[in-house]
Amino acid sequence: MNGAEQLMRTLADNGVTACFANPGTTEMQLVAALDTERRIRPILGLFEGVATGAADGFARMSEAPAATILHLGPGLANGLANLHNARRAHSPIVNLVGDHATWHRDADAPLTSDIESLAGPMSVWVHTTARAEDLAADGAAAVTASMEPPGGPATLIIPQDTAWSDVDAAALSSPSEPGPRALVSPHHVDDVARLLREQGASAVVVLGSAALRRDGLLAASRVAAATGCRVVTQGMPSRAERGGGLPSFPSVPYFPEQAVESFADATLMVVAGTTDPVSFFGYPGQPSHPRPDSCDLVSLAGPEEDAAHALDALASALDAPASVRTDVELPPLPHGSAFGAGELGAALAHLQPEGAVVVDESITSGMGYSIHAVAAPAHDVLHLTGGAIGQGLPVAVGAAVACPDRRVIALQADGSGMYTLQALWTMARESLDVTVVVLANRNYRILQYELLRAGVAEPGPGAMGLTDLGRPELDWVSLAAGMGVDARRATTSDQFVEALRLSFATAGPTLIEAVI
Amino acid sequence: MNGAEQLMRTLADNGVTACFANPGTTEMQLVAALDTERRIRPILGLFEGVATGAADGFARMSEAPAATILHLGPGLANGLANLHNARRAHSPIVNLVGDHATWHRDADAPLTSDIESLAGPMSVWVHTTARAEDLAADGAAAVTASMEPPGGPATLIIPQDTAWSDVDAAALSSPSEPGPRALVSPHHVDDVARLLREQGASAVVVLGSAALRRDGLLAASRVAAATGCRVVTQGMPSRAERGGGLPSFPSVPYFPEQAVESFADATLMVVAGTTDPVSFFGYPGQPSHPRPDSCDLVSLAGPEEDAAHALDALASALDAPASVRTDVELPPLPHGSAFGAGELGAALAHLQPEGAVVVDESITSGMGYSIHAVAAPAHDVLHLTGGAIGQGLPVAVGAAVACPDRRVIALQADGSGMYTLQALWTMARESLDVTVVVLANRNYRILQYELLRAGVAEPGPGAMGLTDLGRPELDWVSLAAGMGVDARRATTSDQFVEALRLSFATAGPTLIEAVI
């Protein structure tokens, strides 16, 4: 048994069941070892950002660690943007990054680079294995680090000789136990309950990712009913449950001036599963944090704590009503030739099957869906928490691998979809039940808004050329066909409804280019 | 005038004429400033690896610095693999990486990361601008750093407030003068001449990139004629001239056991424009450097010195014959239905126009062309010096922007082409005269060789699944059509010849999927 084989056995013992890989020469022993450890499913991505994004999607839906295999510094670099997103989403991922053999590193071969320097910013843990006999234990430590609340990517750098050298099979490390999320103390809950009672409607509760699951949402609605406080959600949570009668709350506005206005009258902000809200970008004359200085900040539970449990305890401490009914209605199913973001959103909310996983990288075009989704059947929604575009299609791959019995819907802006379009090929190869809806507005619309906000009312040819996606227009039907994914274009509501129905009735991936 | 506008004016004063950009919100002032400085041509890439690879191609062919615009840490990360290649190729590039406003960085907004840690491994210079009034001078310093021999990527991190704040237009920094390549001393040349005379046929001269231009090749052939020494070239030089009667030398073999054998009898190795050859990867039982311990190493000129001038001086010191005639013949133009790597290479070498720029990322499938290319009309060839695949199509973009009067031929393996296929769109938008030849063997063939070398004679389903590109097969004709590039498939020599002739006769990009 070599180091790579012992590593894979150890990872499987520690709950790793999927490995999203884009390997090279230095990872050949890791690749071969996957044939000796069949508990781990190997899945090829044709670009590293597909592999890391898929690992993120898998981890968000399975809440178990996903592994990746990446090729030295440049291979890791190609996967870093989606590891950035995974770090912000607290997704447990174990990156296995091959490196030159220990004795070959000083020769400064062409592919040599400082992998630790690259890995650090997007990892919660980075380690380089020194000897073959350490590799399996390092792998177990990586799993533990990735799962340590609140979780995140752990990067293990594996010099190739530690993978190819023989090890003593008896020395397998025993599985490690990552710690559970910490519970918030009853005293702290009582303190927060007292504050909320005192401040009533002047208080606002901000829910973050862990509080946005079913139990957290129900508890938060009870807290609101008992105290009159407002409840809002963080801007782009990593995973939230929605629809099927679950309570729904507005999110903190994206632009700081609107967020500032929304909190202007608040005297108390309680955060649960998240931290003090922060503006996505800094703008002249706007603060980094929209919360006014006069508003006290109290953390009920941080991202590393069990926020849903804390909210439930808070509702009990407040003697809140047992349940709060939420009743919303869908607009009619659109038909005819009119087709914009509103019709698209209404149609999708109408037709999406029970238990879907919606991967939302719709940027500016998804608003029409968001307002209707609360009335849709129960589903999970995965957002662009880290802000690095190009996560949608890869995350859809991973979510579909994690949840083979659920339909995955990737709501994908066209501009950001182009960053990691290679994910379509993996969907086809693995026959994943993914419905990709490309929202084709053929612009980086968000950047055109931002240019306007920067005072450029009439962009010149340079600025226009860097923000529009026409000349030539992207043809997503051809792109999908090139990677083996069935696709069609919809330019009317009728066409879109028909395409959605067909996709939901068909196993495997389909792509709908929605020209809106 | 704001900091961004002053920066762009300064970059233009310093010889920057092209900016390959994939901007985001934090770069909006840089984007707008391109409309105030028309000496810089803005070119959009739909993925950052396209922008950085294109900058590399532009720099290799123009020998002037190219600028990029990248969006914070994740945007830089997406461009790092091709910056790795650019660093290994010593290409002068100035990366303009936007960051949050200085006062917003501590808020740890979603897109915050340690950009300097990411940039360091793939940059020769990294700096974060502190104040708007420093930005232009920092830009000039970045140009100087990128051009300092041997050259490489310089990364300037630009907090957005330093771009949007007003500056005193009178304070523009004056253009900086990068140093020229140093000349090697006549005494050193005489010493090397003496050694070469002494060792004769037991000596080997290894030529690196700067020595692989016309003057260096002619001088090296004279040195060989005068002393009987062998001449070889580094494995994958960043830019070499070839064909049109120029002398041609074999390259250092890729696999170390073959390289070791090729140097086994050498007693003296003289390197010019490069350093001691190093094995691409480490293998069990093979050394990092193929040069035997008994072979002395002497550097005639390092990568930072003028190697062509040194070789010319060496030839003079050796009283070498004035010129050495090289005479090679092309095989006949292939026809009929037989079509493999050999026919493809012969056809291309026959038909390529005078003065082409060949971007070679053919990996295993390009051997058939390499052996014939020396008999082709004079051309430049750009190789994968840094080893990070996904450079071919982007480098072709940049080479075509730099050389609008020359046909660019991208010889592209299918597996590596998928990493940055978005480059096809930029070729279409900018109407670049690029002929893309995709060598479709539908496997990561190099990895299948490497598995075999690692002792895996019969890969299991896991290893096979991670190295074959079938199921589904990629359809490059559809992929190209999806990005506005005319494409056709060739499965016979006749079809390939016809497609090549058509492409060379047609302005703008075309793609030929050569199924071999």
Side-chain angles (χ1 to χ4, degrees), chain A residues 44-106:
Chain A
L44 177 61
L46 297 187
F47 176 70
E48 293 87 346
V50 175
T52 55
D56 185 9
F58 181 91
R60 291 193 201 191
M61 291 312 299
S62 69
E63 299 183 323
T68 69
I69 292 179
L70 305 169
H71 184 46
L72 300 109
L76 170 64
N78 280 336
L80 282 175
N82 275 334
L83 290 176
H84 172 89
N85 290 325
R87 189 174 73 87
R88 293 287 175 180
H90 302 305
S91 301
I93 294 175
V94 175
N95 298 306
L96 309 175
V97 181
D99 194 8
H100 291 302
T102 51
W103 48 263
H104 194 53
R105 287 182 298 200
D106 285 346

Side-chain angles (χ1 to χ4, degrees), chain A residues 40-183:
Chain A
I40 301 177
R41 176 177 173 186
I43 294 162
L44 177 61
L46 297 187
F47 176 70
E48 293 87 346
V50 175
T52 55
D56 185 9
F58 181 91
R60 291 193 201 191
M61 291 312 299
S62 69
E63 299 183 323
T68 69
I69 292 179
L70 305 169
H71 184 46
L72 300 109
L76 170 64
N78 280 336
L80 282 175
N82 275 334
L83 290 176
H84 172 89
N85 290 325
R87 189 174 73 87
R88 293 287 175 180
H90 302 305
S91 301
I93 294 175
V94 175
N95 298 306
L96 309 175
V97 181
D99 194 8
H100 291 302
T102 51
W103 48 263
H104 194 53
R105 287 182 298 200
D106 285 346
D108 196 34
L111 276 165
T112 306
S113 66
D114 182 348
I115 304 178
E116 291 197 359
S117 182
L118 296 170
M122 277 61 166
S123 304
V124 296
W125 181 95
V126 178
H127 182 73
T128 302
T129 292
R131 308 175 312 161
E133 45 271 49
D134 299 337
L135 184 50
D138 289 346
V143 172
T144 302
S146 76
M147 296 288 285
E148 196 65 43
T155 300
L156 179 61
I157 300 163
I158 304 174
Q160 196 176 3
D161 51 338
T162 71
W164 77 46
S165 297
D166 285 336
V167 294
D168 179 358
L172 266 178
S173 67
S174 54
S176 60
E177 277 294 322
R181 281 178 193 271
L183 297 183

Side-chain angles (χ1 to χ4, degrees), chain A residues 104-271:
Chain A
H104 194 53
R105 287 182 298 200
D106 285 346
D108 196 34
L111 276 165
T112 306
S113 66
D114 182 348
I115 304 178
E116 291 197 359
S117 182
L118 296 170
M122 277 61 166
S123 304
V124 296
W125 181 95
V126 178
H127 182 73
T128 302
T129 292
R131 308 175 312 161
E133 45 271 49
D134 299 337
L135 184 50
D138 289 346
V143 172
T144 302
S146 76
M147 296 288 285
E148 196 65 43
T155 300
L156 179 61
I157 300 163
I158 304 174
Q160 196 176 3
D161 51 338
T162 71
W164 77 46
S165 297
D166 285 336
V167 294
D168 179 358
L172 266 178
S173 67
S174 54
S176 60
E177 277 294 322
R181 281 178 193 271
L183 297 183
V184 173
S185 82
H187 292 298
H188 183 58
V189 170
D190 287 341
D191 287 345
V192 175
R194 183 178 45 77
L195 288 170
L196 280 174
R197 267 201 211 94
E198 286 169 11
Q199 303 292 327
S202 298
V204 58
V205 175
V206 184
L207 305 180
S209 193
L212 295 173
R213 308 291 288 278
R214 179 175 198 83
D215 291 349
L217 292 169
L218 290 171
S221 73
R222 293 172 60 208
V223 170
T227 66
C229 73
R230 266 199 305 150
V231 179
V232 299
T233 70
Q234 73 172 104
M236 292 195 261
S238 59
R239 178 180 176 184
E241 290 185 69
R242 194 168 59 183
L246 276 180
S248 159
F249 308 106
S251 65
V252 178
Y254 179 81
F255 289 118
E257 59 273 25
Q258 295 161 4
V260 165
E261 193 188 334
S262 80
F263 292 135
D265 298 329
T267 56
L268 172 69
M269 177 183 288
V270 174
V271 292

Side-chain angles (χ1 to χ4, degrees), chain A residues 226-444:
Chain A
T227 66
C229 73
R230 266 199 305 150
V231 179
V232 299
T233 70
Q234 73 172 104
M236 292 195 261
S238 59
R239 178 180 176 184
E241 290 185 69
R242 194 168 59 183
L246 276 180
S248 159
F249 308 106
S251 65
V252 178
Y254 179 81
F255 289 118
E257 59 273 25
Q258 295 161 4
V260 165
E261 193 188 334
S262 80
F263 292 135
D265 298 329
T267 56
L268 172 69
M269 177 183 288
V270 174
V271 292
T274 184
T275 53
D276 194 12
V278 58
S279 173
F280 222 83
F281 294 107
Y283 295 92
Q286 295 294 333
S288 286
H289 295 280
R291 178 176 55 85
D293 291 341
S294 55
C295 176
D296 290 329
L297 176 72
V298 173
S299 173
L300 172 67
E304 74 291 356
E305 293 173 304
D306 190 332
H309 179 271
L311 284 164
D312 199 59
L314 183 61
S316 298
L318 288 164
D319 293 322
S323 83
V324 179
R325 186 180 164 75
T326 302
D327 222 359
V328 283
E329 266 189 45
L330 277 172
L333 187 66
H335 64 89
S337 60
F339 189 49
E343 287 81 9
L344 182 147
L348 183 55
H350 254 283
L351 298 174
Q352 70 183 76
E354 181 80 23
V357 180
V358 176
V359 179
D360 188 345
E361 190 172 83
S362 56
I363 318 289
T364 59
S365 299
M367 237 83 85
Y369 173 63
S370 299
I371 57 171
H372 299 313
V374 63
H379 62 283
D380 283 89
V381 58
L382 312 184
H383 285 282
L384 186 61
T385 310
I389 58 177
Q391 95 160 23
L393 300 177
V395 161
V397 166
V401 171
C403 304
D405 299 331
R406 301 172 66 172
R407 171 62 53 169
V408 174
I409 299 165
L411 206 58
Q412 183 62 56
D414 52 355
S416 49
M418 282 301 290
Y419 286 70
T420 47
L421 73 161
Q422 304 94 336
L424 295 173
W425 182 85
T426 302
M427 292 178 193
R429 167 172 275 198
E430 302 291 334
S431 301
L432 303 175
D433 293 340
V434 182
T435 302
V436 178
V437 178
V438 173
L439 301 148
N441 66 17
R442 293 162 179 171
N443 282 285
Y444 287 137

Side-chain angles (χ1 to χ4, degrees), chain A residues 19 21-26 28-29 31-32 34-35 38 42-48 69 71-75 77-78 80-82 84-85 87-88 100-101 103-122 160 164 254 278-289 385-389 415 418-422 425 428-429 444 446-448 450-451 454 456 459-476 478-484, chain B residues 19 21-26 28-29 31-32 34-35 38 42-48 69 71-75 77-78 80-82 84-85 87-88 100-101 103-122 160 164 254 278-289 385-389 415 418-422 425 428-429 444 446-448 450-451 454 456 459-476 478-484:
Chain A
C19 180
N22 186 272
T25 297
T26 40
M28 283 302 99
Q29 284 77 25
V31 165
L34 285 167
D35 278 317
R38 299 295 172 91
I43 294 162
L44 177 61
L46 297 187
F47 176 70
E48 293 87 346
I69 292 179
H71 184 46
L72 300 109
N78 280 336
L80 282 175
N82 275 334
H84 172 89
N85 290 325
R87 189 174 73 87
R88 293 287 175 180
H100 291 302
W103 48 263
H104 194 53
R105 287 182 298 200
D106 285 346
D108 196 34
L111 276 165
T112 306
S113 66
D114 182 348
I115 304 178
E116 291 197 359
S117 182
L118 296 170
M122 277 61 166
Q160 196 176 3
W164 77 46
Y254 179 81
V278 58
S279 173
F280 222 83
F281 294 107
Y283 295 92
Q286 295 294 333
S288 286
H289 295 280
T385 310
I389 58 177
M418 282 301 290
Y419 286 70
T420 47
L421 73 161
Q422 304 94 336
W425 182 85
R429 167 172 275 198
Y444 287 137
I446 184 73
L447 295 189
Q448 294 171 345
E450 295 285 3
L451 270 176
V456 184
M464 275 311 294
L466 294 181
T467 57
D468 94 86
L469 302 178
R471 307 178 293 116
E473 285 184 351
L474 293 163
D475 171 356
W476 279 91
S478 290
L479 292 173
M483 289 180 272
Chain B
C19 180
N22 186 272
T25 297
T26 39
M28 283 300 100
Q29 284 77 24
V31 165
L34 285 167
D35 278 316
R38 299 294 172 90
I43 295 163
L44 177 62
L46 296 188
F47 176 69
E48 293 87 347
I69 292 179
H71 184 47
L72 300 109
N78 279 336
L80 282 176
N82 274 334
H84 173 89
N85 290 324
R87 189 174 75 86
R88 292 287 174 181
H100 290 302
W103 48 263
H104 194 53
R105 289 182 296 201
D106 285 345
D108 196 32
L111 276 165
T112 306
S113 66
D114 182 348
I115 303 177
E116 291 197 359
S117 182
L118 296 170
M122 276 61 166
Q160 196 176 2
W164 77 47
Y254 180 80
V278 58
S279 173
F280 223 83
F281 294 107
Y283 296 90
Q286 296 293 334
S288 287
H289 295 280
T385 310
I389 57 176
M418 281 301 289
Y419 286 70
T420 46
L421 73 162
Q422 304 93 338
W425 182 86
R429 167 172 275 200
Y444 288 136
I446 183 72
L447 296 189
Q448 293 170 348
E450 294 285 3
L451 270 177
V456 183
M464 274 311 294
L466 294 181
T467 56
D468 93 87
L469 302 177
R471 306 178 294 117
E473 285 183 350
L474 294 163
D475 170 357
W476 279 91
S478 291
L479 292 172
M483 290 181 273

